[in-house]
Amino acid sequence: MVNLAIKLKEGTKKAHTAAENVGFVKCFLKGVVEKSSYRKLVGNLYFVYAAMEEEMERLNQNPIISKINFPELHRKASLEQDLFYYYGSNWRDQVVLSSAGKAYVDRIREIAKTAPELLIAHSYTRYMGDLSGGQILKGIAQRGMNLVDGEGTAFYEFEAIPDEKAFKANYRQTLDALPLTEADADRIVEEANDAFGLNMTMFQELEGNLIKAIGMLLFNTLTRRKTRGSTELATVE
Ligand code: HEM
């Protein structure tokens, strides 16, 4: 038995701070959210969660993965709902996996084949983060993009988890009870740091898009090309 939950929390502290400091994330936290960048992120997350959840389901007979695969955490269906909102009914034809998103998906597929226990690191990095900041991020997204409640934020709603704090405690206990060695745990922490890195690269990719959109807004304001009083950001593809 190893204290995997603490090891993960302590061992990814620096990576967490680094992720919070990526420009795209910082802008988001300040309420600078722009639909064309945000929906690209939702698109990438869709492919990432779909891969992670599919691989964990496939490994449901694996003695370690089966214990950490909680269907109530699954985000694929909620991301589909959000993509429908942002892109419309033909979202499947429009949504694109970026190169950073592809690297992330490729890594998930690879370890599922070669070292499935490392999927724990990916589950931890995404779901524990989602459960921790979900409600705050939801509010920011709603205010930043003028969303009506319930539209485009299904991702943040864990309908089958009424008490997120209690669920996190249970998830941590489950991590600690997994039959792993210290060496396994160290490898999982290493993989979690890589997972943070993959997320950061994905956010960095979106930064250029956001900067372009802000630039357009500034340009439009300066040249008054848009309707006076409009605060809507110009869409950048
Ligand atoms: C938007 C910027 C972010 C903020 C403000 C933020 C904030 C937080 C907060 C307040 C917690 C709760 C800590 C606790 O329960 O003791 C947390 C936990 C966590 N966050 Fe973030 N976070 C951010 C970004 C991220 C990102 C980008 C990831 C990874 C993709 C992430 C992954 C995690 C994980 C895995 C935990 C659980 C730590 C643990 O208890 O083991 N966070 N975050």
Side-chain angles (χ1 to χ4, degrees):
M1 243 39 115
V2 289
N3 293 327
L4 182 58
I6 293 282
K7 273 178 182 271
L8 278 165
K9 191 179 173 92
E10 297 297 323
T12 58
K13 235 179 198 152
K14 277 192 191 148
H16 191 278
T17 307
E20 281 178 72
N21 282 300
V22 175
F24 180 80
V25 177
K26 274 167 94 170
C27 280
F28 189 88
L29 288 177
K30 289 194 174 125
V32 182
V33 195
E34 185 268 327
K35 263 189 192 164
S36 79
S37 308
Y38 184 76
R39 69 180 194 172
K40 282 185 178 159
L41 175 62
V42 177
N44 271 333
L45 289 176
Y46 167 71
F47 289 108
V48 168
Y49 281 87
M52 182 165 74
E53 289 164 8
E54 189 186 300
E55 295 299 347
M56 299 224 297
E57 285 292 307
R58 207 199 316 271
L59 288 157
N60 231 353
Q61 299 301 315
N62 177 298
I64 293 169
I65 298 303
S66 57
K67 294 200 177 62
I68 207 74
N69 181 22
F70 296 97
E72 55 269 56
L73 285 172
H74 287 188
R75 300 287 83 204
K76 186 183 167 201
S78 64
L79 286 161
E80 284 175 347
Q81 237 176 292
D82 287 347
L83 288 171
F84 188 98
Y85 170 75
Y86 291 108
Y87 287 99
S89 57
N90 67 342
W91 63 270
R92 279 185 201 277
D93 303 326
Q94 293 192 60
V95 72
V96 192
L97 180 61
S98 73
S99 65
K102 184 175 181 305
Y104 198 162
V105 169
D106 286 350
R107 179 67 187 158
I108 289 170
R109 299 283 186 204
E110 184 193 337
I111 58 167
K113 277 196 219 95
T114 58
E117 67 283 0
L118 296 183
L119 284 173
I120 296 166
H122 290 272
S123 161
Y124 166 80
T125 303
R126 284 301 332 178
Y127 295 129
M128 284 293 270
D130 299 336
L131 287 174
S132 300
Q135 291 316 298
I136 294 168
L137 300 181
K138 179 187 165 190
I140 295 174
Q142 281 175 335
R143 282 190 297 279
M145 293 184 286
N146 292 318
L147 301 174
V148 174
D149 195 20
E151 283 184 347
T153 50
F155 175 66
Y156 301 107
E157 304 288 355
F158 287 89
E159 275 171 359
I161 302 178
D163 182 344
E164 291 173 355
K165 210 169 161 195
F167 191 93
K168 271 166 52 174
N170 179 48
Y171 186 96
R172 288 193 184 103
Q173 271 176 13
T174 310
L175 285 176
D176 288 348
L178 294 173
L180 296 166
T181 64
E182 290 287 341
D184 293 332
D186 290 344
R187 271 297 294 122
I188 291 167
V189 174
E190 208 178 302
E191 185 69 23
N193 278 294
D194 286 349
F196 269 87
L198 289 163
N199 276 279
M200 284 168 66
T201 318
M202 216 166 57
F203 301 144
Q204 277 154 357
E205 238 181 11
L206 292 164
E207 227 161 281
N209 195 257
L210 182 63
I211 289 165
K212 256 201 262 170
I214 294 170
M216 287 270 270
L217 174 71
L218 188 63
F219 179 77
N220 288 333
T221 308
L222 292 173
T223 58
R224 288 275 184 262
R225 276 177 13 142
K226 288 202 87 183
T227 320
R228 195 176 288 271
S230 167
T231 53
E232 183 101 325
L233 283 176
T235 304
V236 177
E237 285 308 319

